[in-house]
Amino acid sequence: MKKIGLLCLVLLIAGSFIGIMAAGREAVTDAPIVLRLAETHSQDYPTTQGNYEFARLVEERTNGRIKIEVYHSSQLGEERAVLEQVQFGAIDFTRVSISPLSAFVPEFDALQMPFLYRSGDHMWRVLEGEIGREFLSSLEENESGFIGLCYYDAGARNLYNSRREIKTVEDVRGLKIRVQEAPLMMRLIELMGGVPTPMPFGDVYSALQTGVIDGAENNWPSYYSTSHYEVAKYFTQNGHTMVPEITVASSISMAKLSEADQEIIRQAAWDSMEFQKEKWAAFEAEAEQIIRDAGNIITIPTPEAIAGFQKAMEPLYAAQPAYVQDVIARIQAVD
Ligand code: GTR
């Protein structure tokens, strides 16, 4: 009798122990998967807004199982260093400009050649069409460590400096111009006659202020949001290149997720593009207005002067490997 009583007690204790364990396991599997996304811009910038939309869609479509935390304002580092960490799986996602990515995957030069796109619409037809999709999947196929998710708008890049008005390509001669850390951007400034100075985005303001560099190049929103417009008054709207933004995932991080969750992430990123484009258009107009109101010297080059900038880029086109030449021809053929 005593033995049966003891057995019951043991079974009872074991039973509740198993119960507690099971509850504990459930609590563990119920905890959301938290992933990190690195962004260089501030919280209200259109790309950051796009990242939040991406995160919102992922959370909604996984019923809260996957949360993406957005670390804006370079909290996780500058673009080049962040890309390295994404390759190692230390950061799960990042939104960067195609320029720094091209330092890792040179084929992407094909999407950032100077004077390549005829308009923003042309660029979007390329990116959302066959070519853009091909480039996203090529990252995975080439085992670059990145998985391409989507593109965002970054308008056109223009020259600005603190020294003098630039009306023609000849006026660039000798100016020290900061560029993104990408070989193509260095060559571009060199061919204009400038002295290219690569450095991280976050260092440009003080380099302009202290005169370490004479100028830089970027779109209206970045010229404004970084306050570069306060220390480099001369802005030339030459639109020498349109460099799309891109969001990539770490292959290592993605491999830890189910196929179904990976698909949700891909689709959510793609679906956040429209939202970002709208934010971009509004902010681009607003930034331009603020800069004009601030009294900066805005130069719009004549068509002949633009042709001069274009002509200076010819050696860059001629030097591209066959593969890039091929894609350029395909891009030009897109209506
Ligand atoms: C901006 C772009 C950033 C960064 C920056 C730069 O237009 O959105 O991601 O690449 O340019 O010049 O470093």
Side-chain angles (χ1 to χ4, degrees):
M1 207 46 206
K2 243 190 189 172
K3 269 190 187 158
I4 292 177
L6 195 68
L7 190 67
C8 283
L9 191 69
V10 169
L11 285 178
L12 201 75
I13 294 172
S16 35
F17 184 67
I18 290 168
I20 291 168
M21 288 288 285
R25 243 204 331 268
E26 228 162 65
V28 169
T29 38
D30 270 1
I33 300 170
V34 179
L35 302 170
R36 301 190 304 163
L37 184 151
E39 165 64 65
T40 195
H41 289 295
S42 59
Q43 195 162 17
D44 53 355
Y45 198 86
T47 51
T48 319
Q49 293 300 306
N51 303 331
Y52 282 124
E53 176 63 4
F54 165 46
R56 189 189 70 75
L57 291 173
V58 169
E59 193 166 342
E60 186 179 277
R61 294 174 186 179
T62 59
N63 298 314
R65 277 187 303 104
I66 301 183
K67 284 193 194 304
I68 298 177
E69 290 177 345
V70 176
Y71 290 83
H72 54 81
S73 311
S74 295
Q75 289 170 71
L76 301 183
E78 296 280 353
E79 292 187 336
R80 195 189 166 96
V82 162
L83 282 167
E84 275 165 12
Q85 295 208 56
V86 169
Q87 276 186 318
F88 296 137
I91 296 176
D92 307 300
F93 301 100
T94 188
R95 191 293 312 159
V96 291
S97 160
I98 275 181
S99 283
L101 181 70
S102 71
F104 294 77
V105 196
E107 291 77 18
F108 271 75
D109 280 349
L111 299 185
Q112 62 163 351
M113 292 297 290
F115 301 106
L116 173 62
Y117 303 107
R118 293 189 296 275
S119 64
D121 285 347
H122 176 223
M123 180 187 81
W124 278 110
R125 283 195 294 278
V126 170
L127 298 178
E128 290 178 337
E130 200 179 76
I131 302 173
R133 288 171 196 264
E134 238 172 68
F135 269 79
L136 289 184
S137 26
S138 74
L139 283 173
E140 207 164 341
E141 283 149 19
N142 300 338
E143 294 179 7
S144 63
F146 305 114
I147 291 185
L149 297 180
C150 70
Y151 301 104
Y152 283 166
D153 209 341
R157 297 178 78 96
N158 308 281
L159 291 166
Y160 53 86
N161 80 97
S162 60
R163 303 275 180 234
R164 57 177 184 251
E165 197 179 351
I166 295 174
K167 290 184 178 163
T168 68
V169 67
E170 284 76 33
D171 298 329
V172 184
R173 186 151 303 281
L175 289 178
K176 276 186 100 177
I177 306 287
R178 176 270 172 173
V179 290
Q180 290 157 299
E181 295 171 284
L184 183 133
M185 297 307 276
M186 293 200 50
R187 188 70 185 126
L188 183 148
I189 293 300
E190 219 167 64
L191 288 170
M192 286 184 192
V195 183
T197 314
M199 67 174 70
F201 194 38
D203 295 349
V204 181
Y205 181 88
S206 64
L208 282 169
Q209 201 180 29
T210 55
V212 168
I213 51 171
D214 301 312
E217 48 82 56
N218 223 313
N219 48 45
W220 287 108
S222 283
Y223 180 49
Y224 165 62
S225 69
T226 50
S227 297
H228 294 174
Y229 79 105
E230 288 171 6
V231 284
K233 298 266 179 206
Y234 299 99
F235 185 91
T236 299
Q237 205 172 355
N238 65 330
H240 52 263
T241 182
M242 297 179 89
V243 182
E245 315 278 18
I246 188 167
T247 299
V248 294
S250 160
S251 314
I252 297 176
S253 308
M254 285 285 262
K256 293 180 188 156
L257 303 173
S258 69
E259 284 287 334
D261 284 346
Q262 291 185 31
E263 193 41 43
I264 290 177
I265 286 173
R266 285 173 207 273
Q267 193 60 46
W270 191 266
D271 291 346
S272 70
M273 291 201 296
E274 278 311 308
F275 180 88
Q276 191 274 344
K277 282 193 228 170
E278 278 166 31
K279 296 277 169 199
W280 177 263
F283 192 60
E284 192 179 40
E286 190 186 325
E288 176 174 349
Q289 195 53 54
I290 295 170
I291 292 158
R292 287 188 184 278
D293 292 348
N296 283 36
I297 295 136
I298 314 293
T299 307
I300 301 183
T302 61
E304 296 75 49
I306 293 290
F309 279 104
Q310 269 171 309
K311 183 139 185 51
M313 297 300 115
E314 281 172 4
L316 190 53
Y317 273 81
Q320 291 309 311
Y323 170 74
V324 173
Q325 303 263 13
D326 219 52
V327 181
I328 292 170
R330 285 173 63 205
I331 291 177
Q332 286 165 342
V334 170
D335 272 344

